Amino acid sequence: MTPDDERASPEPHVVVLFGATGDLARRKLLPGMFHLAISRLAPDMRIVGTSLEDMDDAQFRELAVRACREFSSRPADDDQLEQFARQLHYVPQEKGAEALSAAVKAARAALEGPTRLLHYLSVPPAAAIPVIQTLEAAGLVEGSRVIMEKPFGTDLQSAKALNAAIHTAFAEPQIFRIDHFLGKEPAMNILAFRFANGFIEPIWNRTFIDHIQIDVPEQLSLEGRAAFYEPTGAFRDMVVTHLFQVLAFVAMEPPTALAPEPISEEKNKVFRSMLPLKPSNVVRGQYRGYREEPGVSATSDTETFVALKCEIDNWRWAGVPFYLRTGKCLAEGQRIISIAFRDPPRSMFPAGCGVGTQGPDHLTFDLADDSRMSISFYGKRPGPGMLLDKQSMQFGLEGTADADDVLEAYERLILDAMHGDRTLYTTSCGIERLWEVSAPLLENPPPVHPYDAGSWGPSNIEELIAPLEWRLPFERAWRARE
């Protein structure tokens, strides 16, 4: 992972976007590629969209312009949008591999010099293998790269079958399994904070850290995604693909270099050290009203909430519990990593002074796009006597001169794939190991407990973490920029 300004500019690209009219493409991928194109971060490129909808180039361009106007996080200038639209082409999926091949050939001809192909599979998991077969039939595999959306299988057996099927066409270095959480600026800041500062790495271990929480509550409901969510659920959708990957960044050993292979190896060491999940350490929940959602079975056992405790059995983390929680229709939408430090071995402060009354000291990473960190600690309250209050020091990227340079997660990851940089992508062996760790839970899931929409999940999550307490709702408000 070299600095962007030190990487050689990649070759011009043709991006083949499968699922080009879908929700992800409209909300994230097309606006993201628009920003990469107008900012000149990406090389000269053409985008060939394909999907089930029957439309022509003009209709697809109109869809893309509307998506950029509605969902782009930056102002969309009319001239820039028009220029971007000219780079877009569309092939209905029903026209087959030959038509797709012809469109890609024409797009490559419009670019100067050698070109590179990047395929983005924004499709449901069941469609991944047919898409790979289409690419083979179209002769678009050799020398190309492919970005795959999660989930990568539904259990160990299906993950192995999916990887085997993909490997019949693509070698592992060609495959980029995306996790947009790892493309977020604050997720990368975990690596910077841990390994660039001499004061933090010596205490990043079981001797000084009591427990760690990774919380990703969502306020969103199912939002018409029953066909995907019913066979998937919160654990497969969020924990295996996202939360475990973030956990690896928190728990990994220092890599030998800031490069794809060393970082992937250290992440995979974390996964190999994870103990199999115990169903007794997992709470599953389902919000009331889920079974009335369109497309959901009246007897559905799918969890819309999951909280769990997992452990990493190595020298750095033995005995330190990691608590993970995510779910839909919860009270707030947040993305928090909370590192709780151990109390001092003995307190010299008098009873009633306030020390320890507001929980342990915490280091908190907020994985929202504005990238914030907070360190909370006990400090003396001004005035006579020795009374202590919880204090905090906070850092927010919005308060720096570099705030406008932040890339959104999908933008960063697409750009990395164009450079062939797999640092922030997941590997086949890592994914398979996580499904292996998850097998006891998937084979013997605990019952689903109902919870009210707008709450923090089932009440029995308190038993899971006792005598500790969940960090959310986050008790210290982030200070607004002056």
Side-chain angles (χ1 to χ4, degrees):
M1 186 195 301
T2 56
D4 288 343
D5 58 357
E6 292 184 10
R7 295 194 292 195
S9 179
E11 308 96 324
H13 268 67
V14 175
V15 180
V16 183
L17 178 57
F18 289 85
T21 61
D23 188 64
L24 178 62
R26 291 186 304 107
R27 288 178 177 271
K28 294 294 184 181
L29 304 182
L30 290 169
M33 285 188 277
F34 166 65
H35 176 245
L36 291 176
I38 65 172
S39 65
R40 309 305 298 172
L41 290 170
D44 193 10
M45 65 177 171
R46 297 294 183 272
I47 299 166
V48 177
T50 181
S51 191
L52 296 174
E53 280 73 16
D54 185 12
M55 60 174 63
D56 57 21
D57 283 358
Q59 292 170 311
F60 179 55
R61 289 168 178 171
E62 183 179 347
L63 178 148
V65 167
R66 286 199 308 269
C68 291
R69 290 192 191 280
E70 183 175 359
F71 297 112
S72 177
S73 60
R74 304 168 182 87
D77 178 85
D78 287 344
D79 291 339
Q80 293 173 330
L81 283 170
E82 183 179 346
Q83 179 182 349
F84 177 64
R86 289 197 295 267
Q87 302 176 25
L88 306 178
H89 307 277
Y90 186 81
V91 179
Q93 193 169 309
E94 64 181 12
K95 290 193 174 181
E98 187 174 341
L100 182 63
S101 178
V104 171
K105 183 177 180 181
R108 297 185 89 160
L111 298 169
E112 296 182 2
T115 59
R116 168 79 71 169
L117 284 180
L118 176 63
H119 309 299
Y120 198 118
L121 274 58
S122 179
V123 298
I129 293 177
V131 167
I132 297 295
Q133 293 168 343
T134 297
L135 291 172
E136 286 188 285
L140 300 177
V141 170
E142 185 177 357
S144 68
R145 300 177 178 127
V146 57
I147 299 177
M148 299 195 63
E149 275 288 339
K150 56 92 175 176
F152 313 110
T154 57
D155 55 21
L156 179 58
Q157 182 178 357
S158 62
K160 286 184 173 181
L162 178 60
N163 283 328
I166 297 168
H167 286 151
T168 62
F170 292 91
E172 182 65 18
Q174 292 177 272
I175 304 169
F176 293 71
R177 298 171 186 83
I178 196 167
D179 172 15
H180 72 273
F181 271 48
L182 297 189
K184 291 178 175 290
E185 195 76 32
M188 298 177 65
N189 211 17
I190 296 171
L191 296 183
F193 191 77
R194 284 192 58 192
F195 300 130
N197 297 294
F199 77 96
I200 194 68
E201 181 57 26
I203 63 171
W204 202 265
N205 55 57
R206 63 187 302 273
T207 304
F208 298 96
I209 292 176
D210 183 77
H211 64 280
I212 294 173
Q213 293 181 36
I214 302 175
D215 273 295
V216 186
E218 297 181 297
Q219 289 181 304
L220 300 176
S221 63
L222 197 57
E223 298 195 319
R225 300 172 66 227
F228 165 77
Y229 205 83
E230 263 288 85
T232 306
F235 180 79
R236 290 181 172 91
D237 181 37
M238 290 294 294
V239 177
V240 175
T241 309
H242 294 319
L243 273 65
F244 280 161
Q245 299 297 330
V246 173
L247 180 152
F249 265 28
V250 174
M252 64 188 282
E253 296 296 321
T256 56
L258 204 62
E261 288 77 14
I263 289 179
S264 292
E265 175 57 25
E266 296 306 332
K267 286 174 57 185
N268 288 338
K269 285 181 182 178
V270 173
F271 299 149
R272 290 195 294 270
S273 299
M274 288 176 65
L275 296 176
L277 295 179
K278 298 178 181 178
S280 59
N281 286 338
V282 179
V283 175
R284 297 168 70 233
Q286 185 185 92
Y287 66 82
R288 291 184 173 90
Y290 173 77
R291 294 178 181 179
E292 284 73 53
E293 298 269 14
V296 173
S297 167
T299 59
S300 174
D301 192 45
T302 298
E303 80 280 353
T304 62
F305 172 97
V306 63
L308 60 91
K309 181 176 80 169
C310 63
E311 298 173 274
I312 301 173
D313 190 23
N314 62 18
W315 278 46
R316 183 182 290 261
W317 297 113
V320 177
F322 287 72
Y323 295 98
L324 281 56
R325 178 170 59 163
T326 186
K328 292 190 173 296
C329 281
L330 297 178
E332 294 180 29
Q334 294 196 28
R335 290 168 168 80
I336 297 290
I337 302 172
S338 185
I339 317 293
F341 291 94
R342 296 190 185 278
D343 292 330
R346 182 179 179 279
S347 177
M348 64 182 179
F349 296 95
C353 70
V355 68
T357 58
Q358 298 180 56
D361 300 337
H362 280 90
L363 170 64
T364 302
F365 294 90
D366 184 348
L367 297 186
D369 290 333
D370 46 8
S371 185
R372 296 178 293 196
M373 292 189 304
S374 172
I375 301 176
S376 68
F377 52 90
Y378 287 95
K380 182 185 178 301
R381 183 188 303 174
M386 181 58 75
L387 296 177
L388 281 73
D389 286 327
K390 205 70 175 290
Q391 311 290 340
S392 73
M393 292 189 296
Q394 299 181 5
F395 164 80
L397 190 61
E398 73 275 10
T400 73
D402 300 318
D404 292 337
D405 296 334
V406 174
L407 290 178
E408 291 193 350
Y410 283 101
E411 295 170 358
R412 179 185 304 281
L413 292 168
I414 290 171
L415 185 61
D416 281 354
M418 288 179 169
H419 282 277
D421 187 340
R422 300 172 73 237
T423 303
L424 300 177
Y425 288 85
T426 59
T427 65
S428 58
C429 59
I431 288 293
E432 290 177 10
R433 171 57 184 167
L434 290 176
W435 286 120
E436 185 179 8
V437 167
S438 305
L441 171 62
L442 299 177
E443 293 166 1
N444 186 29
V448 167
H449 298 276
Y451 64 94
D452 292 328
S455 70
W456 287 105
S459 59
N460 55 333
I461 62 171
E462 307 302 334
E463 302 171 12
L464 175 65
I465 200 170
L468 305 173
E469 295 182 352
W470 291 101
R471 181 78 162 143
L472 286 176
F474 188 52
E475 66 267 24
R476 301 194 64 81
W478 294 103
R479 289 191 289 270
R481 182 180 180 182
E482 296 295 335

